[in-house]
Amino acid sequence: MLYYITENQDKITTANLLLQKYNLSVVSKALSFVEIQADSLEEIALHKAEQAFQNVKDPFIVSDTGWEIPALRGFPGVYMHYINEWFTPQDYLNLVKPYENRSVIIKQSICYRDSKQTKTFSFERRGIILEEPKGKGRSGDMIFSFRADKKSIAECRSEKIYYMEDTETVWDEFAQWYIQNKPHS
């Protein structure tokens, strides 16, 4: 059994969707964290893993995700979770309105941990900021798209499809590594 230390059901659903082709799955395990403020998603994920390991001795993963909007000099970056609680989709749209560059970059770090090893996997992909919100969900999810059909992340989640069209993801990299390196019971 592989735990995913998160309370975010969207993260669990996405991970299981992408891991199913490897006959792998994750099970949610909720823990409270003191989330450090750092400039690096990898550093935040490693810190979460260290905290989780104090409570969970079975193999697990943690992750952290951030958005960077180049026109806004990388804002909100690692603070995306907090900004999504404060901002409406229209707040984001108002911020980027004066700029021609409507790109957004998603960055994600996954950290695997067991009693013998710690391994991180990182990923980034460029998308666009839509002209108007689509779907229901968190603010950023309604206005960011990483697909040619310009479906928002929120729309993709409601349709139970992955919000990126790329065939290789950080989850593929993790799954391939995990199959080769997982601890034997």
Side-chain angles (χ1 to χ4, degrees):
M1 178 178 302
L2 180 60
Y3 289 110
Y4 191 168
I5 311 299
T6 183
E7 294 178 7
N8 183 331
Q9 194 54 49
D10 286 337
K11 286 184 175 185
I12 297 296
T13 301
T14 298
N16 283 325
L17 175 71
L18 297 173
L19 292 173
Q20 68 186 357
K21 67 184 171 188
Y22 298 99
N23 292 319
L24 297 173
S25 64
V26 294
V27 176
S28 177
K29 185 162 186 80
L31 288 177
S32 294
F33 293 109
V34 174
E35 191 164 317
I36 62 170
Q37 300 301 306
D39 292 329
S40 159
L41 291 171
E42 186 173 294
E43 186 179 346
I44 294 168
L46 282 166
H47 188 264
K48 284 181 181 179
E50 193 58 40
Q51 289 180 76
F53 189 69
Q54 305 306 313
N55 298 297
V56 180
K57 301 303 181 191
D58 296 310
F60 67 85
I61 57 173
V62 296
S63 69
D64 205 68
T65 304
W67 308 104
E68 291 185 1
I69 300 171
L72 302 177
R73 293 187 227 150
F75 176 82
V78 297
Y79 306 106
M80 179 255 330
H81 173 78
Y82 304 107
I83 299 302
N84 267 339
E85 290 179 8
W86 298 329
F87 277 26
T88 67
Q90 193 60 49
D91 292 330
Y92 280 111
L93 295 174
N94 290 343
L95 283 173
V96 298
K97 189 176 185 171
Y99 301 102
E100 284 185 41
N101 181 354
R102 294 185 68 87
S103 65
V104 61
I105 301 167
I106 185 174
K107 293 185 175 189
Q108 184 174 36
S109 283
I110 297 171
C111 183
Y112 169 85
R113 177 78 193 258
D114 65 31
S115 62
K116 296 185 176 153
Q117 56 191 338
T118 302
K119 175 85 174 155
T120 59
F121 303 86
S122 295
F123 156 93
E124 73 177 57
R125 192 74 77 237
R126 188 173 293 267
I128 62 164
I129 300 170
L130 300 168
E131 296 291 331
E132 61 185 36
K134 294 181 180 180
K136 295 189 187 305
R138 293 182 299 263
S139 295
D141 292 355
M142 293 190 288
I143 59 160
F144 298 144
S145 178
F146 295 89
R147 298 174 54 91
D149 61 11
K150 296 190 177 167
K151 285 186 180 185
S152 71
I153 294 170
E155 288 176 301
C156 292
R157 286 199 173 123
S158 71
E159 295 175 24
K160 297 187 181 352
I161 58 175
Y162 187 48
Y163 57 87
M164 290 186 207
E165 294 169 309
D166 301 87
T167 56
E168 290 292 313
T169 69
V170 71
W171 291 100
D172 292 301
E173 184 183 349
F174 164 73
Q176 293 162 13
W177 176 87
Y178 181 72
I179 289 166
Q180 296 293 317
N181 296 282
K182 69 181 172 185
H184 301 291
S185 302

